[in-house]
Amino acid sequence: MRILGVDPGLRTTGYGMIETRGGRVTILEAGVVRSRAATLEARVREIYEGIREVIAQYHPEVLSLEEVYSYYKRPRTAILMGHVRGAICLAAAQADIHVVPYAATMIKKMLTGSGHATKDQMQRAVRFEFGLDKVPEPPDVADALAIALCHRFHLKSAPHQEGGYSHG
């Protein structure tokens, strides 16, 4: 199974494409889609196009995506992230790929045992899980790989359950 994990961001969106075969998990591709545009609509378009390219190249069966969270002091951030997530969901829907959202605390807890792990702890956990020589950089890449791993762990623990967004 191919799982695309995505860590959405307005300037930098991390992605990690993993493949599971038997009990083995490998990284097929990991990187970031950077948006340097000046306007919101142009940034969202760049992220959409970048994720669409990854989907077209690797043909994932599922896309796991970090849920939007907001702090009461920064509601605008959640609104802006909603635009990015919408673009990512659209790219998945156009390719008929199921989207499964995960809370950041769940992703962190599954990989590190703590729902409040730091970026550094997440990078080290991803390095360990994949047996990498060094931690993935930037942290957005590690987060995206962690999101993909979270879905794999979820499938292993509850293969009969389905959740997430449907579009069909």
Side-chain angles (χ1 to χ4, degrees):
M1 168 178 263
R2 288 187 175 187
I3 304 166
L4 175 58
V6 181
D7 179 36
L10 198 53
R11 287 190 170 85
T12 305
T13 292
Y15 67 89
M17 177 67 69
I18 66 172
E19 184 172 57
T20 63
R21 284 195 184 176
R24 190 175 151 101
V25 181
T26 56
I27 299 172
L28 297 180
E29 172 69 16
V32 295
V33 176
R34 294 197 192 277
S35 174
R36 293 180 171 80
T39 64
L40 174 63
E41 59 272 18
R43 284 183 183 203
V44 170
R45 184 187 67 231
E46 287 176 347
I47 292 163
Y48 162 78
E49 289 172 351
I51 294 299
R52 193 178 65 180
E53 286 175 22
V54 172
I55 289 170
Q57 184 172 356
Y58 292 98
H59 308 286
E61 287 138 295
V62 67
L63 187 148
S64 54
L65 182 63
E66 185 173 299
E67 288 182 335
V68 171
Y69 63 93
S70 72
Y71 298 107
Y72 68 93
K73 292 181 181 179
R74 296 175 136 177
R76 184 165 164 30
T77 302
I79 293 167
L80 293 173
M81 291 306 297
H83 293 300
V84 174
R85 290 184 84 253
I88 293 164
C89 289
L90 176 60
Q94 288 177 331
D96 200 30
I97 297 169
H98 186 65
V99 176
V100 182
Y102 289 98
T105 53
M106 176 188 248
I107 297 161
K108 291 175 180 183
K109 188 168 179 82
M110 276 197 158
L111 249 64
T112 68
S114 169
H116 302 287
T118 65
K119 291 275 188 191
D120 181 60
Q121 289 171 318
M122 290 300 290
Q123 285 175 294
R124 286 185 281 135
V126 169
R127 177 184 177 202
F128 174 78
E129 287 292 331
F130 286 107
L132 303 173
D133 293 334
K134 57 185 179 176
V135 297
E137 288 286 347
D140 309 276
V141 173
D143 290 348
L145 288 167
I147 294 163
L149 277 174
C150 181
H151 186 67
R152 179 190 179 258
F153 293 156
H154 178 76
L155 288 176
K156 282 180 71 174
S157 66
H160 62 282
Q161 295 179 357
E162 263 198 47
Y165 303 126
S166 64
H167 50 265

